[in-house]
Coordinates of all heavy atoms in Angstrom, one line a residue:
D2165 N 32.1 -8.3 19.4 CA 31.8 -7.7 18.1 C 31.9 -8.8 17.0 O 31.4 -8.6 15.9 CB 32.7 -6.6 17.8 CG 32.4 -5.4 18.7 OD1 31.3 -5.4 19.3 OD2 33.3 -4.5 18.8
S2166 N 32.6 -9.8 17.2 CA 32.8 -10.8 16.1 C 31.5 -11.6 15.9 O 30.7 -11.7 16.8 CB 33.9 -11.8 16.5 OG 33.6 -12.5 17.7
S2167 N 31.3 -12.0 14.7 CA 30.1 -12.7 14.4 C 30.1 -14.1 14.9 O 31.2 -14.7 15.1 CB 29.9 -12.7 12.8 OG 31.0 -13.5 12.3
P2168 N 28.9 -14.7 15.1 CA 28.9 -16.1 15.6 C 29.6 -17.1 14.6 O 30.1 -18.1 15.1 CB 27.5 -16.4 15.7 CG 26.8 -15.1 15.8 CD 27.6 -14.2 15.0
S2169 N 29.7 -16.7 13.4 CA 30.3 -17.7 12.5 C 31.8 -17.8 12.7 O 32.4 -18.8 12.4 CB 30.1 -17.2 11.0 OG 30.7 -16.0 10.8
L2170 N 32.4 -16.8 13.3 CA 33.9 -16.9 13.6 C 34.2 -17.8 14.8 O 35.2 -18.3 14.9 CB 34.4 -15.5 13.8 CG 34.3 -14.5 12.6 CD1 34.8 -13.2 13.0 CD2 35.0 -15.1 11.4
G2171 N 33.2 -17.9 15.7 CA 33.4 -18.8 16.8 C 34.6 -18.4 17.5 O 35.1 -17.3 17.7
G2172 N 35.3 -19.4 18.1 CA 36.8 -19.3 18.3 C 37.2 -19.2 19.8 O 36.4 -19.2 20.7
N2173 N 38.5 -19.2 19.9 CA 39.1 -19.2 21.2 C 39.9 -17.9 21.4 O 39.8 -16.9 20.7 CB 40.0 -20.4 21.3 CG 40.9 -20.6 20.1 OD1 41.2 -19.6 19.5 ND2 41.4 -21.8 19.8
F2174 N 40.8 -17.9 22.4 CA 41.5 -16.7 22.8 C 42.5 -16.3 21.7 O 42.7 -15.1 21.4 CB 42.3 -16.9 24.1 CG 43.1 -15.7 24.5 CD1 42.5 -14.7 25.2 CD2 44.4 -15.7 24.2 CE1 43.2 -13.6 25.6 CE2 45.2 -14.6 24.6 CZ 44.6 -13.5 25.3
Q2175 N 43.2 -17.3 21.1 CA 44.1 -16.9 20.0 C 43.5 -16.2 18.8 O 44.0 -15.3 18.3 CB 44.8 -18.2 19.6 CG 45.9 -18.8 20.5 CD 45.2 -19.6 21.7 OE1 44.0 -19.8 21.6 NE2 46.0 -20.0 22.6
Q2176 N 42.3 -16.7 18.5 CA 41.6 -16.1 17.3 C 41.1 -14.7 17.7 O 41.1 -13.8 16.9 CB 40.4 -16.9 16.9 CG 40.7 -18.2 16.3 CD 39.5 -19.0 15.9 OE1 38.5 -19.0 16.6 NE2 39.6 -19.7 14.8
L2177 N 40.7 -14.5 18.9 CA 40.3 -13.2 19.3 C 41.4 -12.2 19.3 O 41.3 -11.1 18.9 CB 39.6 -13.2 20.7 CG 38.3 -14.0 20.8 CD1 37.8 -14.1 22.3 CD2 37.3 -13.4 19.9
A2178 N 42.6 -12.7 19.8 CA 43.8 -11.9 19.8 C 44.2 -11.6 18.4 O 44.6 -10.4 18.1 CB 44.9 -12.6 20.6
A2179 N 44.1 -12.5 17.5 CA 44.4 -12.3 16.1 C 43.5 -11.3 15.5 O 43.9 -10.6 14.5 CB 44.4 -13.6 15.3
G2180 N 42.3 -11.2 15.9 CA 41.4 -10.2 15.3 C 41.5 -8.8 15.9 O 40.9 -7.9 15.5
S2181 N 42.4 -8.6 16.9 CA 42.5 -7.3 17.5 C 43.4 -6.4 16.6 O 44.1 -6.9 15.8 CB 43.1 -7.4 18.9 OG 44.4 -8.0 18.8
D2182 N 43.3 -5.1 16.9 CA 44.0 -4.1 16.1 C 45.5 -4.3 16.3 O 46.3 -3.9 15.4 CB 43.6 -2.7 16.5 CG 42.2 -2.4 16.0 OD1 41.7 -3.2 15.2 OD2 41.6 -1.4 16.5
S2183 N 45.9 -4.8 17.5 CA 47.4 -4.9 17.7 C 48.1 -5.8 16.8 O 49.3 -5.7 16.6 CB 47.6 -5.3 19.2 OG 47.1 -6.6 19.4
V2184 N 47.4 -6.8 16.3 CA 48.0 -7.8 15.5 C 47.5 -7.6 14.0 O 48.3 -7.8 13.1 CB 47.7 -9.2 16.0 CG1 48.2 -10.3 15.0 CG2 48.2 -9.4 17.4
R2185 N 46.2 -7.4 13.8 CA 45.6 -7.3 12.5 C 46.2 -6.2 11.6 O 46.7 -6.5 10.5 CB 44.1 -7.2 12.6 CG 43.4 -7.1 11.2 CD 41.9 -7.0 11.4 NE 41.6 -5.8 12.2 CZ 40.5 -5.6 12.8 NH1 39.6 -6.6 12.8 NH2 40.2 -4.5 13.4
W2186 N 46.3 -5.0 12.2 CA 46.8 -3.9 11.4 C 48.3 -4.0 11.1 O 48.8 -3.8 10.0 CB 46.5 -2.6 12.0 CG 45.0 -2.2 11.8 CD1 44.1 -2.2 12.7 CD2 44.4 -1.9 10.6 NE1 42.8 -1.9 12.2 CE2 43.0 -1.7 10.8 CE3 44.9 -1.7 9.3 CZ2 42.1 -1.3 9.9 CZ3 44.0 -1.4 8.3 CH2 42.6 -1.1 8.6
P2187 N 49.1 -4.4 12.1 CA 50.6 -4.6 11.7 C 50.8 -5.7 10.7 O 51.7 -5.5 9.8 CB 51.2 -5.0 13.1 CG 50.3 -4.3 14.1 CD 48.9 -4.4 13.5
V2188 N 50.0 -6.7 10.7 CA 50.1 -7.8 9.7 C 49.8 -7.3 8.3 O 50.5 -7.5 7.3 CB 49.3 -9.0 10.1 CG1 49.2 -10.0 8.9 CG2 49.8 -9.7 11.3
R2189 N 48.7 -6.5 8.3 CA 48.3 -6.0 7.0 C 49.3 -4.9 6.5 O 49.6 -4.8 5.3 CB 46.9 -5.4 7.1 CG 45.8 -6.4 7.2 CD 44.4 -5.7 7.3 NE 43.4 -6.8 7.4 CZ 42.1 -6.5 7.5 NH1 41.7 -5.2 7.6 NH2 41.2 -7.5 7.6
V2190 N 49.9 -4.2 7.4 CA 50.9 -3.1 7.0 C 52.1 -3.8 6.5 O 52.7 -3.4 5.5 CB 51.2 -2.2 8.2 CG1 52.4 -1.4 8.0 CG2 50.0 -1.3 8.5
S2191 N 52.5 -4.9 7.2 CA 53.7 -5.6 6.7 C 53.5 -6.2 5.4 O 54.4 -6.2 4.5 CB 54.1 -6.6 7.7 OG 53.1 -7.6 7.9
K2192 N 52.3 -6.7 5.1 CA 52.0 -7.2 3.8 C 52.0 -6.2 2.7 O 52.5 -6.4 1.6 CB 50.6 -7.9 3.9 CG 50.3 -8.8 2.7 CD 49.0 -9.6 2.8 CE 48.8 -10.5 1.6 NZ 47.5 -11.3 1.8
L2193 N 51.4 -5.0 3.1 CA 51.4 -3.9 2.1 C 52.8 -3.4 1.9 O 53.2 -3.1 0.7 CB 50.5 -2.7 2.6 CG 49.0 -2.9 2.5 CD1 48.3 -1.7 3.0 CD2 48.6 -3.2 1.1
A2194 N 53.7 -3.4 2.9 CA 55.0 -2.9 2.7 C 55.8 -3.9 1.8 O 56.6 -3.5 1.0 CB 55.7 -2.9 4.1
E2195 N 55.5 -5.2 2.0 CA 56.1 -6.1 1.1 C 55.7 -6.0 -0.4 O 56.4 -6.1 -1.3 CB 55.8 -7.6 1.6 CG 56.5 -8.6 0.7 CD 56.1 -10.0 1.2 OE1 55.4 -10.1 2.3 OE2 56.5 -11.0 0.6
T2196 N 54.4 -5.7 -0.5 CA 53.8 -5.4 -1.9 C 54.4 -4.2 -2.5 O 54.7 -4.2 -3.7 CB 52.3 -5.4 -1.8 OG1 51.8 -6.5 -1.2 CG2 51.7 -5.2 -3.2
F2197 N 54.5 -3.1 -1.7 CA 55.0 -1.8 -2.2 C 56.5 -1.8 -2.3 O 57.1 -0.8 -2.8 CB 54.5 -0.7 -1.3 CG 53.1 -0.4 -1.4 CD1 52.4 0.1 -0.3 CD2 52.4 -0.7 -2.5 CE1 51.0 0.4 -0.4 CE2 51.0 -0.5 -2.6 CZ 50.3 0.1 -1.6
G2198 N 57.3 -2.8 -1.8 CA 58.7 -2.8 -1.8 C 59.3 -1.8 -0.8 O 60.4 -1.3 -1.0
I2199 N 58.7 -1.6 0.3 CA 59.2 -0.8 1.4 C 59.9 -1.7 2.4 O 59.4 -2.8 2.7 CB 58.1 0.0 2.0 CG1 57.4 0.9 1.0 CG2 58.6 0.9 3.2 CD1 56.2 1.6 1.5
A2200 N 61.0 -1.2 3.0 CA 61.8 -2.0 4.0 C 60.9 -2.2 5.2 O 60.4 -1.3 5.8 CB 63.1 -1.2 4.4
A2201 N 60.8 -3.4 5.6 CA 59.9 -3.8 6.7 C 60.5 -3.3 8.0 O 59.8 -3.1 9.0 CB 59.6 -5.3 6.7
D2202 N 61.9 -3.3 8.1 CA 62.5 -3.0 9.4 C 62.2 -1.5 9.8 O 62.1 -1.3 11.0 CB 64.0 -3.2 9.3 CG 64.7 -3.2 10.6 OD1 64.5 -4.1 11.4 OD2 65.5 -2.2 10.8
V2203 N 62.1 -0.6 8.9 CA 61.7 0.7 9.2 C 60.4 0.8 9.9 O 60.2 1.5 11.0 CB 61.7 1.6 7.9 CG1 61.3 3.0 8.3 CG2 63.1 1.6 7.3
L2204 N 59.4 0.1 9.4 CA 58.1 0.1 10.0 C 58.1 -0.7 11.3 O 57.3 -0.3 12.2 CB 57.1 -0.6 9.0 CG 56.9 0.2 7.7 CD1 56.0 -0.6 6.7 CD2 56.4 1.6 7.9
T2205 N 58.9 -1.7 11.4 CA 59.0 -2.4 12.7 C 59.6 -1.6 13.8 O 59.1 -1.6 14.9 CB 59.8 -3.7 12.5 OG1 59.3 -4.5 11.4 CG2 59.8 -4.5 13.8
R2206 N 60.7 -0.8 13.5 CA 61.2 0.1 14.5 C 60.2 1.1 14.9 O 60.1 1.5 16.0 CB 62.5 0.8 13.9 CG 63.6 -0.2 13.6 CD 65.0 0.6 13.6 NE 64.9 1.7 12.7 CZ 65.2 1.7 11.4 NH1 65.6 0.6 10.8 NH2 65.1 2.8 10.7
H2207 N 59.4 1.6 13.9 CA 58.4 2.6 14.2 C 57.3 2.1 15.1 O 56.9 2.7 16.0 CB 57.8 3.1 12.9 CG 56.7 4.2 13.1 ND1 57.0 5.5 13.5 CD2 55.3 4.1 13.0 CE1 55.9 6.1 13.6 NE2 54.8 5.3 13.3
R2208 N 57.0 0.8 14.9 CA 56.0 0.2 15.7 C 56.5 0.0 17.2 O 55.8 0.2 18.1 CB 55.6 -1.2 15.2 CG 54.6 -1.9 15.9 CD 54.3 -3.3 15.4 NE 53.4 -4.1 16.2 CZ 53.1 -5.4 16.1 NH1 53.8 -6.1 15.2 NH2 52.2 -5.9 16.8
V2209 N 57.8 -0.4 17.3 CA 58.4 -0.5 18.6 C 58.4 0.8 19.4 O 58.0 0.9 20.6 CB 59.8 -1.1 18.5 CG1 60.5 -1.1 19.9 CG2 59.8 -2.5 18.0
V2210 N 58.8 1.8 18.7 CA 58.8 3.2 19.3 C 57.4 3.6 19.7 O 57.2 4.1 20.8 CB 59.4 4.2 18.3 CG1 59.2 5.6 18.9 CG2 60.9 3.9 18.1
E2211 N 56.4 3.3 18.9 CA 55.0 3.7 19.2 C 54.5 2.9 20.4 O 53.7 3.4 21.3 CB 54.1 3.5 18.0 CG 54.4 4.5 16.9 CD 54.1 5.9 17.2 OE1 53.3 6.2 18.1 OE2 54.8 6.8 16.6
L2212 N 54.9 1.6 20.5 CA 54.4 0.8 21.6 C 55.0 1.3 22.9 O 54.3 1.4 23.9 CB 54.8 -0.7 21.4 CG 54.0 -1.4 20.3 CD1 54.6 -2.8 20.0 CD2 52.5 -1.5 20.7
Y2213 N 56.3 1.6 22.9 CA 57.0 2.2 24.1 C 56.4 3.5 24.5 O 56.2 3.8 25.6 CB 58.5 2.2 23.9 CG 59.2 0.9 24.3 CD1 59.9 0.2 23.3 CD2 59.2 0.5 25.6 CE1 60.5 -1.0 23.6 CE2 59.9 -0.7 25.9 CZ 60.5 -1.4 24.9 OH 61.1 -2.6 25.2
S2214 N 56.1 4.3 23.4 CA 55.5 5.6 23.7 C 54.1 5.5 24.4 O 53.7 6.4 25.2 CB 55.4 6.4 22.4 OG 54.8 7.7 22.6
S2215 N 53.4 4.4 24.1 CA 52.1 4.2 24.6 C 52.1 3.5 25.9 O 51.1 3.2 26.5 CB 51.2 3.5 23.6 OG 51.0 4.3 22.5
G2216 N 53.3 3.0 26.4 CA 53.4 2.3 27.6 C 53.2 0.8 27.5 O 53.0 0.2 28.5

Side-chain angles (χ1 to χ4, degrees):
D2165 293 340
S2166 62
S2167 64
S2169 62
L2170 298 177
N2173 48 25
F2174 179 83
Q2175 285 82 3
Q2176 289 179 325
L2177 296 176
S2181 61
D2182 289 347
S2183 63
V2184 178
R2185 179 178 59 200
W2186 285 109
V2188 170
R2189 290 181 176 176
V2190 167
S2191 62
K2192 190 173 183 179
L2193 285 181
E2195 182 181 357
T2196 303
F2197 290 153
I2199 301 175
D2202 194 66
V2203 177
L2204 299 176
T2205 305
R2206 294 200 311 270
H2207 180 73
R2208 182 185 177 191
V2209 172
V2210 171
E2211 293 295 334
L2212 288 173
Y2213 274 114
S2214 177
S2215 299

